[in-house]
Amino acid sequence: MNQLTKLSLSAVFLSASALAQQPTLNVYTYSSFASEYGPAKQLEANFEKTCQCDLRFLPFDDGITMFNRVRLEGKKTKADVVLGIDSFLKDEAEKAGLFTAHELSLDSIAIPTNNWKSEVFYPFDYGEYAFIYNKDKLKNPPTSMKALIERNDLRVIYQDPRTSTVGRGLLMWVNALYGEQGEQAVAERWAALSKHTVTVGKGWSETYGAYLKGEADLALSYTTSPLYHQWYENDDKNVAAIFDEGHLVQVEYGAIMQSSKQKALAQKFLQFLTTPESQKIIAKANIMHPVIAEEVDPLLSAQPKTKTLTNFAMPSSEQVRQWLNIWQKAITQ
């Protein structure tokens, strides 16, 4: 064996040894975040340049599916971090006792709603729920939740609140608007909507995809969703229906597992998500608002202003279960 070959083999062994010594950070998240077009790939490449680690994203259908998995796995979970616990899953997730305090400053975070701060859950983006429609096809869109519910000429698609954080958002939105009128009033709204609901899908990807195929007039998503079509398809036909009653804000969070052996690295990763560069990547690929005040894209900053339901009191996990029961009974009658 010549000297050059020995040197080459030594370099290979040293490289393999260095990789073996690098810590691994496992991040559970939802499928669209880790998809080919989601932000995970770019974030992974950028973070690995500085962390001397192997960052791995492990996707699940939705944030609720992901949370149910870590709850089932408990202390045996492979996850160090979860991304995708949202505002309306936060209470239930905290009570599960699986997560540890992030111990990070929230001074740079700017979110236009109340009750988003948490010692355990660290925000990385936010959005306002909205129903999306094609303005070339639907000339008379609903301008209120009341109209959406009552107009039987509208074909509607939304996500199952038992499996989808977006669907859970509609559950909260309806109760935020009608909950004070009592359970019967809420049940009547769900029953009325069910008369012209095409389907209640498992997750966002399949329901929004069905809408784009023309299977519905409106699909539950976010006010920012039309930006995807503008940024990547140069298409402005899909727009958000703006409702007079106001829209509900969803904040998405990351959290560190108590069982993680990489807590310092996990903290570094969560903080990395709120750097200006990372926020731009998340906003452009996840099609959501950044949680920092800095502008990441002119089109995002120019989004139409909506009335925000800022004073919605976050329900307990027991209340959510009750709302789910009311919804399920109403749509199956």
Side-chain angles (χ1 to χ4, degrees):
M1 184 182 295
N2 62 38
Q3 191 66 23
L4 183 59
T5 303
K6 289 180 180 179
L7 289 171
S8 297
L9 285 173
S10 297
V12 169
F13 290 135
L14 285 171
S15 177
S17 177
L19 286 172
Q21 292 173 12
Q22 286 186 348
T24 297
L25 190 72
N26 290 319
V27 177
Y28 281 13
T29 190
Y30 49 89
S31 58
S32 60
F33 193 96
S35 72
E36 180 183 356
Y37 303 104
K41 188 174 182 179
Q42 295 177 74
L43 294 173
E44 179 180 356
N46 288 355
F47 188 63
E48 287 184 344
K49 289 176 183 176
T50 62
C51 72
Q52 299 298 310
C53 70
D54 180 16
L55 176 61
R56 297 179 182 176
F57 286 97
L58 305 171
F60 296 84
D61 286 343
D62 189 87
I64 292 177
T65 307
M66 174 194 69
F67 170 60
N68 287 337
R69 173 61 68 87
V70 295
R71 183 160 52 181
L72 180 65
E73 292 174 344
K75 294 180 179 179
K76 295 181 180 180
T77 184
K78 296 178 181 179
D80 297 294
V81 173
V82 296
L83 290 184
I85 300 293
D86 80 337
S87 307
F88 310 113
L89 191 58
K90 186 157 61 74
D91 179 74
E92 186 176 351
E94 190 158 4
K95 285 182 179 178
L98 296 170
F99 307 102
T100 190
H102 55 69
E103 299 178 349
L104 299 172
S105 172
L106 298 171
D107 292 346
S108 65
I109 308 299
I111 300 173
T113 186
N114 300 329
N115 303 323
W116 63 264
K117 291 185 179 180
S118 170
E119 294 180 355
V120 175
F121 301 99
Y122 190 74
F124 64 88
D125 71 11
Y126 76 91
E128 296 171 303
Y129 296 113
F131 282 86
I132 307 302
Y133 69 97
N134 186 317
K135 66 181 182 181
D136 289 350
K137 295 179 179 179
L138 184 60
K139 300 297 185 180
N140 182 28
T143 58
S144 66
M145 181 68 79
K146 182 176 184 294
L148 177 85
I149 290 171
E150 294 178 355
R151 281 181 53 183
N152 288 329
D153 62 309
L154 300 173
R155 298 173 302 153
V156 176
I157 283 181
Y158 66 91
Q159 300 79 17
D160 191 325
R162 296 167 299 182
T163 57
S164 166
T165 54
V166 187
R168 179 83 49 114
L170 182 60
L171 184 80
M172 303 298 164
W173 197 359
V174 169
N175 278 278
L177 296 177
Y178 301 108
E180 290 185 358
Q181 298 176 26
E183 292 183 2
Q184 184 60 34
V186 173
E188 288 173 357
R189 265 65 175 194
W190 286 125
L193 181 60
S194 70
K195 292 178 181 178
H196 53 103
T197 296
V198 176
T199 189
V200 176
K202 184 178 180 181
W204 177 87
S205 295
E206 65 179 73
T207 51
Y208 197 75
Y211 154 73
L212 291 177
K213 292 176 183 176
E215 296 178 19
D217 300 308
L218 300 107
L220 178 63
S221 193
Y222 300 92
T223 57
T224 50
S225 294
L227 286 174
Y228 169 83
H229 305 284
Q230 294 176 42
W231 280 332
Y232 300 108
E233 299 175 345
N234 195 29
D235 182 352
D236 65 354
K237 294 192 298 291
N238 295 285
V239 296
I242 305 303
F243 287 174
D244 296 337
E245 303 100 329
H247 296 252
L248 203 59
V249 172
Q250 177 204 44
V251 181
E252 293 194 297
Y253 298 88
I256 303 170
M257 301 299 300
Q258 275 192 1
S259 57
S260 174
K261 296 179 181 178
Q262 305 292 345
K263 289 181 181 177
L265 188 58
Q267 285 178 308
K268 183 177 180 180
F269 173 68
L270 290 183
Q271 202 161 31
F272 158 81
L273 293 179
T274 56
T275 61
E277 184 178 3
S278 295
Q279 284 288 284
K280 183 173 183 178
I281 291 170
I282 293 170
K284 293 294 291 285
N286 224 27
I287 323 296
M288 295 283 272
H289 286 290
V291 296
I292 60 174
E294 293 185 38
E295 181 177 270
V296 299
D297 188 274
L299 279 178
L300 192 56
S301 301
Q303 280 285 284
K305 300 300 180 184
T306 60
K307 179 181 177 183
T308 300
L309 299 173
T310 56
N311 295 319
F312 175 62
M314 295 297 175
S316 65
S317 53
E318 292 77 14
Q319 182 69 74
V320 172
R321 282 194 289 272
Q322 185 177 358
W323 289 353
L324 284 169
N325 288 333
I326 293 169
W327 166 79
Q328 190 168 9
K329 289 178 182 178
I331 68 167
T332 54
Q333 286 179 350

